[in-house]
Amino acid sequence: MTDNHGPVAGLLLAAGGGRRLGGRPKALLEHRGRPLVEYAAGVLRAAGCSRVHVVLGAGADAVRERAELPGCVLVENPAWEEGMGSSLRAGLESLRDTGARAALVSLVDQPGIGREATARLLAAYGSPATLAAAAYEGRRGHPVLLGADHWTDIAATATGDRGARAYLRARADAITLVECADVARPHDIDTVADLVHLE
């Protein structure tokens, strides 16, 4: 099957319920006057991902109603309360028959990571065996690029809020680190104090 979307799909994990934010779904936090999920999906597109899958969970109906996500595939994760691992599994499964050879996985709650860092990571793709991650002064962070050869094993180990962390830690020597500290700030929006990172 030929795929006109290019080998790397964007996969945005946007299902979190914002428990430490008083139960405000992270996807709906406002950034630059629009829902944060809209900004994050736009970053993936601007970086060069023509196919973008967005995993929704908390407040999914409200996200569908309020956010403009044209051309994105919306994937609902009914098990979102189990943590990020379940969203990663749902997202990778949604990509399985698309022809994508890798997934560039980003998190909705990191608005300090923009197009430039994401495009750098996209450029690290070499084959379905690729594993790459953004790094900040040498420390591995997000986003991450997961070649399709790894998806089944990652899904088998993605539990709780760990996502692909355990899988990547076990293969640290195989990961291409792409330094991004000069163009991005990897802050998470987890608590009310973190809301200062929104614009």
Side-chain angles (χ1 to χ4, degrees):
M1 181 177 82
T2 58
D3 176 32
N4 59 6
H5 286 280
V8 182
L11 179 56
L12 176 61
L13 305 186
R19 187 171 37 85
R20 289 183 285 168
L21 287 165
R24 295 158 69 187
K26 291 184 177 185
L28 289 172
L29 294 173
E30 196 167 293
H31 183 62
R32 300 180 182 177
R34 298 296 304 162
L36 187 52
V37 65
E38 221 175 90
Y39 171 79
V43 165
L44 286 167
R45 283 219 185 281
C49 294
S50 59
R51 177 191 300 281
V52 176
H53 286 212
V54 181
V55 181
L56 302 178
D61 289 342
V63 174
R64 288 174 190 276
E65 202 173 287
R66 292 186 219 166
E68 292 176 19
L69 298 166
C72 292
V73 175
L74 304 184
V75 180
E76 200 138 342
N77 174 19
W80 65 268
E81 288 180 275
E82 292 175 12
M84 184 172 55
S86 66
S87 290
L88 180 58
R89 290 196 309 271
L92 292 176
E93 183 58 35
S94 76
L95 289 172
R96 200 162 288 286
D97 296 319
T98 63
R101 297 287 175 259
L104 199 166
V105 182
S106 69
L107 308 180
V108 76
D109 66 349
Q110 294 189 319
I113 299 173
R115 182 199 63 78
E116 199 167 347
T118 307
R120 277 188 196 176
L121 189 62
L122 184 64
Y125 172 77
S127 77
T130 300
L131 287 174
Y136 302 91
E137 296 175 354
R139 289 177 56 101
R140 180 167 56 78
H142 285 93
V144 295
L145 193 147
L146 308 174
D149 289 356
H150 303 278
W151 293 355
T152 298
D153 289 339
I154 288 171
T157 59
T159 57
D161 274 324
R162 287 200 299 275
R165 196 179 308 155
Y167 186 87
L168 294 175
R169 188 181 297 128
R171 289 155 186 82
D173 292 347
I175 300 170
T176 299
L177 293 181
V178 179
E179 186 56 53
C180 293
D182 58 320
V183 294
R185 293 167 297 130
H187 308 297
D188 294 322
I189 310 292
D190 283 330
T191 66
V192 172
D194 297 329
L195 294 174
V196 297
H197 300 303
L198 295 172
E199 296 171 15

